[in-house]
Amino acid sequence: MGVLVRSGRAWLCSAARGVFPCLWRGNYFGTGNERAEKNPATPMLRHLVYKIKSTGPITVAEYMKEVLTNPAKGYYVYRDMLGEKGDFITSPEISQIFGELLGIWFISEWMATGKSAAFQLVELGPGRGTLAGDILRVFSQLGSVLKNCDISIHLVEVSQKLSEIQAVTLTEEKVPLERNADSPVYMKGVSKTGIPVCWYRNLQDVPKGYSFYLAHEFFDVLPVHKFQKTPQGWREVLIDIDPQVSDKLRFVLAPCATPAEAFIHHDEKRDHVEVCPDAGVVIQELSQRIALTGGAALIADYGHDGTKTDTFRGFCGHKLHDVLIAPGMADLTADVDFSYLRRMAQGQVASLGPITQQTFLKNMGIDVRLKILADKSHEPSVRQQLLQGYDMLMNPKKMGERFHFFALLPHQRLCGGSHQTEARLSRPSVAPVAGFADLAWR
Ligand code: SAH
């Protein structure tokens, strides 16, 4: 961990970062639920109305999947929704320090687990590539530490538009991109620092080598099923056409049990729950891979530990947006249930967290990093931007307490092979995992 301090260089990244006020998606009280005035008959709405008329009401999960990732009309497929001109902002877009500290986390885990000769960094849902870019800058600056380590970057991205933006962020035009839409590796390039970068649509297609996995604000976009407890038992919330108003959608309850009910935990106490089977599939894949080849997964998102009920919401133009209005024009999201992720790891790996973003970044040394950057910058506007970014990431009333960090690690990493899968903090006798324990700066 001392490495960041020892490097005396100010690695100020020139890229302009978040301008405030922008809305981050963990927020759902701040601006009130602004219902869109109009309900434009978007191509997605027409598609869904046709589908529901043909086969009946659809689950919320099917709705989210269609609206967000339908290959022809999905919200994520053809637009850049991030940043000031988009619909919401994320931590890496706010401050370069965020990605730098995550880069340090991966290096720290790589060092703690024996400095393997090679590793893959696999990012799920990389957005504009800003986070990966900041991590790669840290890898490059710490080249003396990582020297001779064979690193490759693997990006799992369904969005054509965002994959193009990622390529611009990460690669240099000098080395042309290789494209093959029909291959599981649909694009290949080389980063500005000479590291190979590959793009996939599915995690399953990423080679199974020693890897560090990263998912920042990825799990919250995966489709959730919603259930309401009724006197007759659990009933799934479905989406139907409003019989009073043409081209308007509404929520209804399924008249009888639906198959997805199997995902509800047998001793569930809440009366309304959201479950995300796709998140379970990703966690199982990550757990199997980590148990088999080592490495780690770092997951950061807004969420709860199995306590919240109705969190399904939409964002458009930095405002909360009615989820059933103008589908395809707004982002849809639901809080991540970390207790479900932990359960889906099924004891194959150990988990740490969730702990708040404020605690994680503090433990990673955000204050030291901020001071270094602020001291080295001579422009008042840059200093102000750094301080504003810090406040946005760390303030408990902003992103500091709404966002959480959660990690999956091989059992041996935490306690020499015992199955303490639900440890919230690593035991003091084993090498601490950066961020999840208060590390002493050397
Ligand atoms: N991690 C980025 C972007 C978060 S937005 C950041 O923090 O800035 C969610 C990202 O996940 C986008 O890149 C989106 O295109 C991608 N995505 C959404 N659904 C996906 C899926 N099913 N598989 C892979 N990527 C997906």
Coordinates of all heavy atoms in Angstrom, one line a residue, residues 25 68-69 76-77 81-82 88 90-93 123-128 130-131 156-159 162 166 200-202 215-218 220-223, ligand 1:
R25 N -27.1 7.2 -9.6 CA -28.2 6.4 -9.6 C -28.6 5.8 -8.2 O -29.7 5.3 -8.0 CB -28.1 5.2 -10.6 CG -28.1 5.7 -12.0 CD -28.2 4.6 -12.9 NE -27.0 3.8 -12.8 CZ -26.8 2.6 -13.4 NH1 -27.7 2.2 -14.2 NH2 -25.7 1.9 -13.3
L68 N -33.6 -2.5 -21.6 CA -32.2 -2.1 -21.5 C -31.3 -2.8 -22.5 O -30.5 -2.1 -23.1 CB -31.7 -2.5 -20.1 CG -32.3 -1.8 -18.9 CD1 -31.7 -2.2 -17.6 CD2 -32.2 -0.3 -19.0
T69 N -31.6 -4.0 -22.9 CA -30.6 -4.7 -23.7 C -31.1 -5.4 -24.9 O -30.4 -6.2 -25.6 CB -29.8 -5.7 -22.9 OG1 -30.7 -6.7 -22.3 CG2 -29.0 -5.1 -21.8
Y76 N -29.4 0.5 -23.4 CA -27.9 0.5 -23.3 C -27.2 0.3 -24.7 O -26.0 0.6 -24.8 CB -27.5 -0.6 -22.4 CG -27.5 -0.1 -20.9 CD1 -28.4 -0.6 -20.0 CD2 -26.5 0.8 -20.5 CE1 -28.4 -0.1 -18.7 CE2 -26.6 1.3 -19.2 CZ -27.5 0.8 -18.3 OH -27.5 1.3 -17.1
V77 N -27.9 -0.2 -25.7 CA -27.2 -0.6 -26.9 C -26.7 0.5 -27.7 O -25.6 0.4 -28.2 CB -28.2 -1.6 -27.6 CG1 -27.5 -2.1 -28.9 CG2 -28.5 -2.8 -26.8
M81 N -25.2 7.1 -22.0 CA -26.1 7.6 -21.1 C -25.4 8.2 -19.9 O -26.0 8.8 -18.9 CB -27.1 6.5 -20.6 CG -26.5 5.4 -19.7 SD -25.2 4.4 -20.6 CE -26.2 3.7 -21.9
L82 N -24.0 8.2 -19.9 CA -23.3 8.6 -18.7 C -22.9 10.1 -18.8 O -22.7 10.6 -19.9 CB -22.0 7.7 -18.6 CG -22.3 6.3 -18.2 CD1 -21.2 5.4 -18.7 CD2 -22.4 6.2 -16.7
F88 N -27.3 9.9 -16.0 CA -26.8 9.8 -14.6 C -25.2 9.8 -14.6 O -24.6 9.8 -15.7 CB -27.2 8.5 -14.0 CG -26.8 7.3 -14.7 CD1 -25.7 6.6 -14.5 CD2 -27.7 6.7 -15.7 CE1 -25.3 5.5 -15.2 CE2 -27.3 5.6 -16.4 CZ -26.1 5.0 -16.1
T90 N -21.5 8.4 -12.7 CA -21.0 7.3 -11.8 C -19.6 7.8 -11.2 O -19.0 8.7 -11.7 CB -20.7 6.1 -12.6 OG1 -19.8 6.3 -13.7 CG2 -22.0 5.5 -13.2
S91 N -19.2 7.1 -10.2 CA -18.0 7.5 -9.4 C -16.7 7.7 -10.3 O -16.1 8.7 -10.2 CB -17.7 6.5 -8.3 OG -18.7 6.5 -7.3
P92 N -16.4 6.8 -11.2 CA -15.2 7.0 -12.0 C -15.3 8.2 -12.9 O -14.3 8.8 -13.2 CB -15.1 5.7 -12.9 CG -16.3 4.9 -12.7 CD -17.0 5.5 -11.5
E93 N -16.5 8.6 -13.3 CA -16.7 9.8 -14.1 C -16.6 11.1 -13.2 O -16.5 12.2 -13.8 CB -18.1 9.8 -14.8 CG -18.4 8.6 -15.7 CD -17.5 8.6 -16.9 OE1 -17.0 9.6 -17.3 OE2 -17.2 7.5 -17.4
E123 N -13.5 -6.6 -16.7 CA -14.5 -5.6 -16.2 C -15.8 -5.9 -16.8 O -16.0 -6.1 -18.0 CB -14.0 -4.2 -16.4 CG -15.1 -3.3 -15.7 CD -14.8 -1.8 -15.8 OE1 -13.8 -1.4 -16.5 OE2 -15.6 -1.0 -15.3
L124 N -16.8 -6.0 -15.9 CA -18.2 -6.2 -16.4 C -18.9 -4.9 -16.5 O -18.9 -4.1 -15.5 CB -19.0 -7.1 -15.4 CG -18.3 -8.4 -15.0 CD1 -19.2 -9.2 -13.9 CD2 -18.1 -9.3 -16.2
G125 N -19.5 -4.5 -17.6 CA -20.2 -3.3 -17.8 C -19.3 -2.1 -17.6 O -19.4 -1.3 -16.7
P126 N -18.3 -1.9 -18.5 CA -17.3 -0.8 -18.3 C -17.7 0.6 -18.7 O -16.8 1.5 -18.6 CB -16.1 -1.3 -19.2 CG -16.5 -2.5 -19.9 CD -18.0 -2.7 -19.7
G127 N -18.9 0.8 -19.1 CA -19.4 2.2 -19.3 C -18.6 2.9 -20.4 O -18.5 2.4 -21.5
R128 N -17.9 4.0 -20.1 CA -17.1 4.7 -21.1 C -15.7 4.2 -21.1 O -14.8 4.8 -21.8 CB -17.1 6.2 -20.8 CG -18.3 6.9 -21.2 CD -18.1 8.3 -20.8 NE -19.2 9.2 -21.3 CZ -19.4 10.4 -20.8 NH1 -18.6 10.9 -19.9 NH2 -20.3 11.1 -21.3
T130 N -13.7 4.7 -18.6 CA -13.0 5.6 -17.7 C -12.3 4.9 -16.5 O -11.1 5.2 -16.2 CB -14.0 6.7 -17.2 OG1 -14.7 7.2 -18.3 CG2 -13.2 7.8 -16.5
L131 N -13.1 4.0 -15.9 CA -12.5 3.3 -14.7 C -11.3 2.4 -15.2 O -10.2 2.5 -14.5 CB -13.6 2.4 -14.1 CG -13.3 1.6 -12.9 CD1 -12.7 2.5 -11.8 CD2 -14.6 1.0 -12.4
V156 N -16.5 -7.0 -20.7 CA -17.8 -7.6 -21.0 C -18.8 -6.5 -21.1 O -19.1 -5.8 -20.2 CB -18.2 -8.6 -19.8 CG1 -19.5 -9.3 -20.2 CG2 -17.1 -9.7 -19.6
E157 N -19.2 -6.3 -22.4 CA -20.1 -5.2 -22.7 C -21.1 -5.5 -23.8 O -20.7 -6.1 -24.8 CB -19.2 -4.0 -23.2 CG -19.9 -2.8 -23.6 CD -20.8 -2.2 -22.5 OE1 -20.3 -1.5 -21.6 OE2 -22.0 -2.5 -22.5
V158 N -22.4 -5.3 -23.5 CA -23.4 -5.5 -24.5 C -23.6 -4.4 -25.5 O -24.2 -4.5 -26.5 CB -24.7 -5.9 -23.9 CG1 -24.7 -7.3 -23.4 CG2 -25.2 -4.9 -22.9
S159 N -23.2 -3.2 -25.0 CA -23.5 -2.0 -25.8 C -22.5 -1.7 -26.9 O -21.3 -1.5 -26.7 CB -23.6 -0.8 -24.8 OG -23.6 0.4 -25.6
L162 N -21.3 2.0 -26.4 CA -20.3 2.1 -25.3 C -19.0 1.4 -25.6 O -17.9 1.9 -25.2 CB -20.9 1.7 -24.0 CG -21.9 2.6 -23.4 CD1 -22.5 2.0 -22.1 CD2 -21.4 4.0 -23.2
Q166 N -15.4 3.0 -25.3 CA -14.3 2.4 -24.5 C -13.0 2.2 -25.3 O -11.9 2.5 -24.9 CB -14.8 1.0 -24.0 CG -15.8 1.0 -23.0 CD -16.8 -0.2 -23.0 OE1 -16.4 -1.3 -23.6 NE2 -17.9 -0.1 -22.4
Y200 N -16.2 -8.8 -25.1 CA -17.1 -9.9 -25.1 C -18.5 -9.5 -24.7 O -18.6 -8.5 -24.0 CB -16.7 -11.0 -24.1 CG -15.2 -11.4 -24.1 CD1 -14.3 -10.5 -23.5 CD2 -14.7 -12.5 -24.7 CE1 -12.9 -10.8 -23.4 CE2 -13.4 -12.8 -24.6 CZ -12.5 -12.0 -24.0 OH -11.2 -12.3 -24.0
R201 N -19.5 -10.2 -25.1 CA -20.8 -9.9 -24.7 C -21.2 -10.7 -23.4 O -22.0 -10.3 -22.6 CB -21.9 -10.2 -25.8 CG -21.8 -9.3 -26.9 CD -22.8 -9.5 -28.0 NE -22.4 -8.7 -29.2 CZ -21.6 -9.1 -30.1 NH1 -21.1 -10.4 -30.1 NH2 -21.2 -8.4 -31.1
N202 N -20.5 -11.8 -23.2 CA -20.8 -12.7 -22.0 C -19.6 -13.0 -21.3 O -18.5 -13.3 -21.8 CB -21.4 -14.0 -22.5 CG -22.8 -13.8 -23.1 OD1 -23.7 -13.3 -22.4 ND2 -22.9 -14.2 -24.4
A215 N -16.8 -5.2 -11.1 CA -18.1 -4.8 -11.6 C -18.5 -3.6 -10.8 O -18.9 -3.7 -9.6 CB -19.1 -6.0 -11.3
H216 N -18.5 -2.5 -11.5 CA -19.0 -1.2 -10.8 C -20.3 -0.8 -11.5 O -20.3 -0.5 -12.7 CB -17.9 -0.1 -11.0 CG -18.3 1.2 -10.3 ND1 -18.8 2.2 -11.0 CD2 -18.4 1.5 -9.0 CE1 -19.1 3.2 -10.1 NE2 -18.9 2.7 -8.9
E217 N -21.3 -0.7 -10.7 CA -22.6 -0.3 -11.2 C -23.0 -1.2 -12.4 O -23.5 -0.7 -13.4 CB -22.7 1.2 -11.6 CG -22.6 2.1 -10.4 CD -23.4 3.4 -10.5 OE1 -24.5 3.3 -11.2 OE2 -23.0 4.4 -10.0
F218 N -22.8 -2.5 -12.2 CA -23.2 -3.5 -13.2 C -24.4 -4.3 -12.8 O -25.3 -4.4 -13.5 CB -22.0 -4.4 -13.5 CG -22.3 -5.6 -14.4 CD1 -22.6 -5.5 -15.7 CD2 -22.4 -6.8 -13.8 CE1 -23.0 -6.6 -16.5 CE2 -22.8 -7.9 -14.5 CZ -23.1 -7.8 -15.9
D220 N -26.7 -3.6 -10.8 CA -28.0 -2.9 -10.6 C -28.8 -2.8 -11.9 O -29.9 -2.5 -11.9 CB -27.7 -1.5 -10.0 CG -27.0 -0.7 -11.0 OD1 -27.6 0.0 -11.8 OD2 -25.7 -0.6 -10.9
V221 N -28.1 -3.1 -13.0 CA -28.9 -3.0 -14.3 C -29.4 -4.4 -14.7 O -30.1 -4.5 -15.7 CB -28.1 -2.4 -15.5 CG1 -27.6 -1.0 -15.1 CG2 -26.9 -3.3 -15.9
L222 N -29.1 -5.4 -14.0 CA -29.5 -6.8 -14.3 C -31.0 -6.9 -13.9 O -31.4 -6.4 -12.9 CB -28.7 -7.9 -13.7 CG -27.2 -7.8 -14.1 CD1 -26.4 -9.0 -13.4 CD2 -27.0 -7.9 -15.6
P223 N -31.8 -7.7 -14.7 CA -33.3 -7.7 -14.5 C -33.7 -8.3 -13.2 O -33.2 -9.4 -12.8 CB -33.8 -8.5 -15.7 CG -32.6 -8.8 -16.5 CD -31.4 -8.4 -15.9
Ligands
SAH1 N1 -19.2 0.7 -14.9 C1 -19.5 1.9 -15.5 C2 -20.8 1.9 -16.3 C3 -22.0 1.5 -15.4 S1 -23.5 1.5 -16.4 C4 -19.3 3.1 -14.6 O1 -19.4 2.9 -13.4 O2 -19.2 4.2 -15.1 C5 -23.8 -0.2 -16.8 C6 -22.8 -0.8 -17.8 O3 -23.2 -2.2 -18.0 C7 -22.9 -0.2 -19.2 O4 -21.6 -0.3 -19.7 C8 -23.8 -1.1 -19.9 O5 -23.7 -1.1 -21.3 C9 -23.4 -2.5 -19.4 N2 -24.4 -3.5 -19.4 C10 -25.7 -3.5 -19.1 N3 -26.2 -4.7 -19.2 C11 -25.2 -5.6 -19.5 C12 -25.2 -7.0 -19.7 N4 -26.3 -7.7 -19.5 N5 -24.0 -7.5 -20.0 C13 -22.9 -6.8 -20.1 N6 -22.9 -5.4 -19.9 C14 -24.0 -4.8 -19.6

